[in-house]
Amino acid sequence: MLYAILEGFARRPALLPVENVADLHLFIQGYLHAASYHSIVEPDIAHFEGFQTYVEQHYKAKSTRNWSKIIQFHANSDKESLFFFQEHLEAYKKKTKWVKP
């Protein structure tokens, strides 16, 4: 379900009140927290856990910053940071051979 929401956001950015990748990170963290609190198990959530490592490896980041801070650092604007997120998420799913359940 997480990836379906993010795909919907990519098609229609006005779907979520997000202006940059840091806002999107907060939304995702809230979603993950709610899923955990209600003991919801989704393949998307388990798969997304590796996204942090993917972003760190892509940018050769040797810091303790979360993926949104790393992406935002490399973007020239808020809009570009959201574009980079979508690109990285799709590349991560391809690299890990993610198959929609």
Side-chain angles (χ1 to χ4, degrees), residues 1-2 30-46 49:
M1 182 76 172
L2 173 62
Y31 182 90
L32 297 176
H33 177 73
S36 173
Y37 181 81
H38 293 287
S39 302
I40 297 171
V41 178
E42 293 179 18
D44 299 18
I45 293 173
E49 290 176 4

Side-chain angles (χ1 to χ4, degrees), residues 7-67:
E7 288 167 10
F9 172 70
R11 285 190 306 275
R12 296 182 56 201
L15 188 63
L16 297 174
V18 219
E19 295 184 13
N20 56 51
V21 75
D23 293 345
L24 185 60
H25 182 259
L26 288 173
F27 171 81
I28 292 171
Q29 287 303 110
Y31 182 90
L32 297 176
H33 177 73
S36 173
Y37 181 81
H38 293 287
S39 302
I40 297 171
V41 178
E42 293 179 18
D44 299 18
I45 293 173
H47 183 258
F48 189 76
E49 290 176 4
F51 186 66
Q52 173 73 32
T53 303
Y54 170 81
V55 171
E56 288 172 355
Q57 290 173 348
H58 176 81
Y59 287 110
K60 297 174 180 56
K62 299 188 188 315
S63 71
T64 57
R65 294 182 175 184
N66 65 52
W67 57 263

